Amino acid sequence: MKKLLCCTLIVILAVMSASALAEVPSLSEGLFRYAKGALVSLASGAYDKVVTSLPFSDVSPSADEWRSFARGSFSSLADGDPQTKYAVAYWTGRAWKVAVPVSTPDSGSVETLVLLSEDGSTFSGYACASWSSVCSEYQNSNYVVWNDEYNASVSAIVEPDAH
């Protein structure tokens, strides 16, 4: 009886895992490129370019909406060129979030552009978040994809003294 119950539970867990996996849409690699391009365009004030370059599943926000978003949400965009090396995408249970920090994410306060994708290939929303909130969300996700992972604890190579 115990053996039958164990086997039944294993089968149920396997079916649940397979169905959960089937519900997560695959992530298009292009979403990283689009998100990074949008961050650069927002930083340079090219709001019309954001409208035409981001693939939205519905109607894209207008250039005026992007301008208001950039000016009202980010204080560090005007500080210079944003970084475009690091980006992370993670599944929230309902959608992918693609997050690109404005600068190297060496503190939790770094402002981050977050774009939402329900289908894994087009965007359906956007937000500004702190890097610490992004980290908290992706650490709780079962599906995380880095475009280029940031590792703050890279150790330096020290050459021994040659005597």
Side-chain angles (χ1 to χ4, degrees):
M1 182 68 175
K2 286 182 182 180
K3 197 175 205 182
L4 178 63
L5 181 62
C6 249
C7 289
T8 304
L9 286 174
I10 290 172
V11 168
I12 289 171
L13 286 174
V15 168
M16 286 174 42
S17 296
S19 67
L21 185 60
E23 293 174 10
V24 178
S26 61
L27 181 69
S28 168
E29 187 67 28
L31 291 186
F32 284 118
R33 185 177 68 256
Y34 292 131
K36 290 175 180 185
L39 185 63
V40 169
S41 295
L42 289 173
S44 67
Y47 307 112
D48 288 329
K49 188 173 181 180
V50 180
V51 173
T52 59
S53 65
L54 279 182
F56 262 77
S57 56
D58 199 11
V59 177
S60 176
S62 69
D64 286 337
E65 290 171 308
W66 284 114
R67 180 182 300 108
S68 294
F69 168 67
R71 291 181 179 171
S73 301
F74 294 93
S75 61
S76 61
L77 273 180
D79 292 347
D81 292 332
Q83 73 82 31
T84 56
K85 182 176 181 180
Y86 307 109
V88 64
Y90 50 96
W91 180 251
T92 65
R94 295 184 326 216
W96 284 101
K97 285 188 176 181
V98 180
V100 185
V102 172
S103 60
T104 302
D106 53 8
S107 80
S109 64
V110 171
E111 295 173 326
T112 306
L113 173 64
V114 180
L115 294 166
L116 189 71
S117 177
E118 295 170 1
D119 63 6
S121 60
T122 60
F123 295 113
S124 56
Y126 57 96
C128 176
S130 67
W131 183 247
S132 63
S133 66
V134 167
C135 291
S136 171
E137 286 185 333
Y138 81 68
Q139 289 171 350
N140 291 319
S141 175
N142 292 326
Y143 305 95
V144 179
V145 178
W146 283 90
N147 179 244
D148 195 349
E149 186 170 2
Y150 177 71
N151 184 357
S153 61
V154 175
S155 58
I157 298 174
V158 178
E159 294 292 326
D161 289 338
H163 287 122

